Amino acid sequence: MNKYLLLLLISGIWGSQFFFIALVIENVGVITLSAIKACIGGICLLFFGLFLSKAERKVPRSYYKWYIIIAFFEVVLPFVFIAQGQKSVPSSIAAVLIGMVPIFTILFLLAFFKRKSTRPEITSILFGFAGIVFLSWPTQGIQDLSNSIQGNILMILAAMSFGLSLIFMEKLNEGSSVIHMRNVLLIASALLIPLSLLLEQSFKMDIARSQSIYLAILGIFHAGVVYALFNRLIRQEGALFTSYSNYIVPVIGMILGFFFLHEALSIHQLIGMGIIMLSLVFLDEKIIIKLKRK
């Protein structure tokens, strides 16, 4: 599959999750929701794995340490930080801070993994982040950013955690993406379920039958299926390219909100969307070469 189509598919799936989360979040804690998604997603991929050959189901024993590390940095740690940080940070500011994932990804690659970066990659990252700022910046401006230093720090730590997990996923370069992410999600659910019981008393959760269906959708598609695709894109194009999904997800979310929830789109949000989509142009070397020739 074309890398841009796969990136847009992943971003589309994750962008649509906000619609379903809005339908259950009043009755389900954030950590509990993460635990349920991870558990259902892991079971979903466990089922898909039954249709793979024995050779595809085999993974090197050394991968299990990476499964634990990725589960911790991709699912457990950032969601705890986000759950705590969002108590005092407006969603618009949270989107800007989580939008720093590609920036932290390239910084970690340069500083700790001796990866060289090209000028188009750096330009694309800066353009994309500028688009996120335009897309999410509230009317109150810098005042909201300074309201909660602790909350902002937690959001930044979550973005750093996501960036590290992307790089660690590059280590899973053999075997099936379904098996890799099955193991990651099941390990993450084993870590999150005790946290949800302890911090949110999830055993007292009271939800409607329709909300159970929404939770199943979130687990199957927004954890299981999307993470298998996510790992596939990382193996195909690397952590940095895949990190751009963090720029596109808010765009998808706002477009879906406009069409299905009748939410208004302001001029600065439309400008932000345009800047984000323009940033993808700098990722394609063929386009850059053509522009230089002209």
Side-chain angles (χ1 to χ4, degrees), residues 73 77-105 107-108 129 132 137 142 144-146 148-166 246:
F73 283 101
L77 195 63
F79 276 96
V80 171
F81 284 156
I82 290 171
Q84 186 64 32
Q86 278 192 313
K87 293 180 180 179
S88 56
V89 177
S91 59
S92 56
I93 297 298
V96 172
L97 297 177
I98 295 298
M100 295 177 71
V101 171
I103 294 175
F104 285 123
T105 301
L107 288 176
F108 289 144
F129 185 68
I132 286 290
W137 202 252
I142 198 68
D144 272 348
L145 189 62
S146 60
S148 174
I149 295 176
Q150 181 182 356
N152 294 333
I153 290 173
L154 288 173
M155 287 295 175
I156 291 172
L157 289 174
M160 293 173 70
S161 185
F162 281 134
L164 276 175
S165 70
L166 280 164
N246 291 276

Side-chain angles (χ1 to χ4, degrees), residues 263-274:
E263 296 176 348
L265 286 176
S266 64
I267 294 296
H268 76 272
Q269 287 174 330
L270 292 172
I271 294 173
M273 290 181 187

Side-chain angles (χ1 to χ4, degrees), residues 7 101-103 105 125 166 230 238-247:
L7 182 67
V101 171
I103 294 175
T105 301
I125 286 174
L166 280 164
F230 195 63
L240 185 60
F241 181 86
T242 308
S243 71
Y244 279 81
S245 62
N246 291 276
Y247 287 161

Side-chain angles (χ1 to χ4, degrees), residues 226-245:
V226 77
Y227 265 120
L229 296 173
F230 195 63
N231 181 250
R232 176 180 171 180
L233 184 59
I234 290 172
R235 294 169 64 180
Q236 180 179 320
E237 300 296 335
L240 185 60
F241 181 86
T242 308
S243 71
Y244 279 81
S245 62

